[in-house]
Amino acid sequence: MANSGIFFNVREVPGKPIYYAAPEIQVLDNEHATDNKVASHLAGSLYDMIAADPATVNPAGEWNTIVVRVDQGKVTHIQNGVKVVEYELWTPEWDELVASSKFKNFPGFTEGISREGYIGLQDHGYPVWFRNIKIREL
C-alpha cells in the first residue's frame, strides 16, 4: 500500500510541510493504496494536477524507475522508460493547473514555485523503497 512522493524545487519554510510549496511526483501502489481513486494521484503523476499513464507502472513488489528532468522550468516524468507527464513551470498553463488543483489556496503555490531548491521524499508511514537515486545538475 505504498504512498510516497518525490518533491523538487523544495523551499524550506519553518513550520510548513514539504508539500507547502513544491511540486510532487507521486509514488504509489496503484492497486492497493487508498489514494488510488483520482487519476492524477497515481504513480508517476504530477500529484493532483496531471495524470500519468497507469499502464506504465509495474505492480507493487516490482521495481519502477522514474526519471524527473527539470530544465529551465520544463519538466518531464519518464516512468519505466515512457514519458508520462510533461509541463512547464512559471507559465499561464502552470497557473491554470494550480488553480484547478487542491493547491489553489496554498500560499507556497500562489506565491510561485521556487526556481531552485531541495529534493525531498514523502513519508506517509507506508513501506516504500528507493534505490540508485542520482541527481545531476543540467
Side-chain angles (χ1 to χ4, degrees):
M1 298 224 306
N3 184 348
S4 185
I6 303 163
F7 293 89
F8 64 93
N9 287 20
V10 174
R11 77 172 168 254
E12 292 185 304
V13 178
K16 299 292 182 186
I18 192 170
Y19 55 81
Y20 167 80
E24 177 185 2
I25 297 91
Q26 179 73 316
V27 174
L28 191 78
D29 173 352
N30 283 354
E31 186 177 342
H32 299 104
T34 57
D35 197 17
N36 66 357
K37 311 296 185 276
V38 177
S40 63
H41 292 193
L42 299 178
S45 297
L46 173 61
Y47 184 76
D48 206 55
M49 293 192 216
I50 302 175
D53 180 357
T56 64
V57 180
N58 293 329
E62 295 182 22
W63 286 106
N64 287 279
T65 62
I66 187 87
V67 174
V68 180
R69 181 183 173 101
V70 183
D71 187 8
Q72 298 180 16
K74 295 179 182 170
V75 184
T76 56
H77 304 183
I78 300 168
Q79 186 163 255
N80 295 318
V82 178
K83 182 168 41 173
V84 292
V85 174
E86 188 171 36
Y87 51 97
E88 191 166 350
L89 302 170
W90 318 302
T91 63
E93 293 79 17
W94 171 258
D95 293 341
E96 288 174 24
L97 287 170
V98 172
S100 299
S101 75
K102 69 189 272 178
F103 305 109
K104 66 182 170 234
N105 295 319
F106 282 45
F109 276 80
T110 58
E111 293 162 6
I113 298 300
S114 293
R115 294 195 177 262
E116 60 182 27
Y118 298 102
I119 305 293
L121 303 176
Q122 176 97 297
D123 176 17
H124 277 305
Y126 299 99
V128 64
W129 293 265
F130 293 91
R131 68 178 185 179
N132 297 329
I133 298 172
K134 297 173 185 155
I135 301 171
R136 180 174 44 170
E137 190 169 343
L138 299 176

